[in-house]
Amino acid sequence: MRVATVLGIESSCDETAAAVVRGDAGAGRGEILSNVVFDQMDLHAAYGGVVPEIAARAHAEKLDVAVAQALEEAEVSLRAVDAIAVTVGPGLIGGLVAGIACAQGLSLGSGVPLVAVNHLEGHALTPRLTDGLAYPYLMLLVSGGHCLFLLVRGPGQHERIGTTIDDAPGEAFDKVAKMLDLGIPGGPRVEAVAKDGDPKRFALPRPLMDRPGCDVSFSGLKTAVRMVRDDLVTKGGMSDRDIADLCAGFQAATRDVLVGKSRRAMAQFRAVFPDAGQAGFAIAGGVAANGILRGGLETLAQDEGFDPVLPPLKLCTDNGAMIAWAGLERHAAGLTGDLVPKPRFPVASNPMSGVWTGKRGAKV
Ligand code: KG4
Ligand code: ZN
């Protein structure tokens, strides 16, 4: 095993990001030498969500700036890195094309080899980068486009044991924020408003808890929130207290569903790896930044004999360091991948039992 330095580039949604990470794939745990993230929130705010064409143009304008800044902050020259890792999917096609073109240009000019990275694998391997978590571990990936329980065995070796059958949790947070006029980014706005709310005031459903397995659903919960809102509006309007209580109720329901299904996923993990001992339970993706959810999952992991691994907030949302680290592990394993943009790109090797789609591609 040897220490490698990798430049990572991420542009699959609305963050233009580049980072330099150094580490030994065999040992796990890396050093983040730089982690530059330009968000595009201001550009999309007026539209209430990410506009793909605007995102693609902004990526094309900012990628080279992000890369230059990442190399400068890391005090590393392009020729000194061992590989350039770039997100090839899943995500918005325009952003993926911009990221791949940037990486190819850098590679042509420097001779540094390229590594194609699945964005979801970037999230899934983050606990290795931050905590050196040993394989195998259980991962709950919760973001704006995805909700996945994965058994993580190694780079390119992920088994899906649960997913959403409709909305992703971040998507539900974003839609609830929109229906309550809280603006974007939805998740953090809902969380902030919910702080003063009473989570028990409105009776909201915990979908699919009555069914076996680890699949989740958020569309019915979202509809229930809409019905409460409509009812309140019909009866004279919503006060700040109403909005806070509704946000708190929605957030608690989301936590209960994810905690309940995580308990089942832990039982499945134990059945597959009976000798794993004190294994890791890691969470990642933007929704993993939610404090109430983190608290619920951390307590559950401790109760069930798992090591909870909760990456720092800025490594939960999209960033270049996670792509650099996944690239570093793939490069060490000789898994270069295909430099072709893939708006839909399953991270797990087992086939889907159904075809579910969402605003950012298949939730797989
Ligand atoms: O992983 P991510 O940065 O982007 C992808 O979807 O790949 O996740 C973004 C999602 C958004 O839906 C956002 O509303 C949600 O994560 N999110 C949160 C919080 N912070 C971000 N949801 C709930 N609570 C938060 N604090
Ligand atoms: Zn993401």
Side-chain angles (χ1 to χ4, degrees), residues 212-226:
C214 302
D215 284 345
V216 294
S217 160
F218 291 100
S219 138
L221 174 59
K222 185 188 67 191
T223 306
V225 170
R226 189 187 304 279

Side-chain angles (χ1 to χ4, degrees), residues 124-216:
L125 300 186
T126 296
R128 305 237 330 128
L129 163 67
T130 55
D131 292 76
L133 189 58
Y135 294 122
Y137 56 88
L138 175 64
M139 154 72 55
L140 168 60
L141 208 139
V142 272
S143 72
H146 309 273
C147 186
L148 280 171
F149 285 106
L150 292 174
L151 305 181
V152 181
R153 294 181 170 90
Q157 299 171 52
H158 314 298
E159 184 183 343
R160 182 189 50 255
I161 59 169
T163 186
T164 176
I165 63 166
D166 41 55
D167 289 352
E171 197 176 350
F173 267 97
D174 293 339
K175 286 178 180 166
V176 165
K178 200 167 182 178
M179 69 176 87
L180 298 177
D181 247 343
L182 300 178
I184 61 169
R189 297 278 172 105
V190 170
E191 179 170 22
V193 171
K195 275 213 168 63
D196 305 317
D198 170 8
K200 297 215 168 77
R201 177 168 154 210
F202 299 109
L204 295 169
R206 270 65 177 160
L208 295 196
M209 285 313 295
D210 54 342
R211 285 205 227 150
C214 302
D215 284 345
V216 294

Side-chain angles (χ1 to χ4, degrees), residues 8-345:
I9 297 174
E10 157 63 36
S11 56
S12 65
C13 189
D14 58 343
E15 269 95 11
T16 310
V20 179
V21 162
R22 181 170 290 155
D24 178 340
R29 202 188 295 267
E31 192 188 345
I32 299 174
L33 303 183
S34 62
N35 193 13
V36 177
V37 180
F38 297 138
D39 80 47
Q40 305 177 348
M41 222 47 96
D42 295 348
L43 298 176
H44 302 291
Y47 306 93
V50 177
V51 183
E53 290 75 13
I54 294 178
R57 198 174 325 128
H59 286 309
E61 282 167 9
K62 280 287 183 87
L63 271 163
D64 54 346
V65 183
V67 168
Q69 197 173 319
L71 290 169
E72 193 184 321
E73 284 176 19
E75 296 180 17
V76 170
S77 75
L78 182 60
R79 285 195 168 76
V81 303
D82 296 283
I84 299 167
V86 60
T87 303
V88 297
L92 299 170
I93 184 80
L96 297 172
V97 168
I100 293 171
C102 172
Q104 280 172 327
L106 293 168
S107 174
L108 273 175
S110 62
V112 175
L114 290 167
V115 182
V117 171
N118 180 309
H119 176 88
L120 300 174
E121 182 165 60
H123 281 303
L125 300 186
T126 296
R128 305 237 330 128
L129 163 67
T130 55
D131 292 76
L133 189 58
Y135 294 122
Y137 56 88
L138 175 64
M139 154 72 55
L140 168 60
L141 208 139
V142 272
S143 72
H146 309 273
C147 186
L148 280 171
F149 285 106
L150 292 174
L151 305 181
V152 181
R153 294 181 170 90
Q157 299 171 52
H158 314 298
E159 184 183 343
R160 182 189 50 255
I161 59 169
T163 186
T164 176
I165 63 166
D166 41 55
D167 289 352
E171 197 176 350
F173 267 97
D174 293 339
K175 286 178 180 166
V176 165
K178 200 167 182 178
M179 69 176 87
L180 298 177
D181 247 343
L182 300 178
I184 61 169
R189 297 278 172 105
V190 170
E191 179 170 22
V193 171
K195 275 213 168 63
D196 305 317
D198 170 8
K200 297 215 168 77
R201 177 168 154 210
F202 299 109
L204 295 169
R206 270 65 177 160
L208 295 196
M209 285 313 295
D210 54 342
R211 285 205 227 150
C214 302
D215 284 345
V216 294
S217 160
F218 291 100
S219 138
L221 174 59
K222 185 188 67 191
T223 306
V225 170
R226 189 187 304 279
M227 284 164 71
V228 172
R229 179 204 65 176
D230 290 351
D231 189 48
L232 289 165
V233 169
T234 319
K235 287 178 181 150
M238 296 190 82
S239 66
D240 286 351
R241 166 119 323 268
D242 293 336
I243 295 176
D245 292 347
L246 195 47
C247 284
F250 163 75
Q251 188 173 249
T254 303
R255 179 214 38 216
D256 290 351
V257 167
L258 291 171
V259 167
K261 294 288 178 168
S262 296
R263 185 177 286 113
R264 291 185 195 170
M266 287 174 182
Q268 282 201 33
F269 180 93
R270 292 267 178 245
V272 176
F273 303 108
D275 305 322
Q278 177 98 6
F281 170 60
I283 61 172
V287 184
N290 185 279
I292 296 285
L293 179 63
R294 287 169 85 90
L297 292 172
E298 194 164 16
T299 307
L300 170 75
Q302 282 153 357
D303 290 350
E304 299 288 328
F306 278 77
D307 267 337
V309 179
L310 303 114
L313 300 190
K314 72 180 239 239
L315 294 178
C316 285
T317 47
D318 292 350
N319 64 85
M322 70 181 196
I323 303 305
W325 176 262
L328 190 149
E329 288 217 38
R330 293 190 79 84
H331 182 62
L335 301 167
T336 305
D338 222 357
L339 261 291
V340 174
K342 298 182 177 104
R344 303 195 166 204
F345 188 7

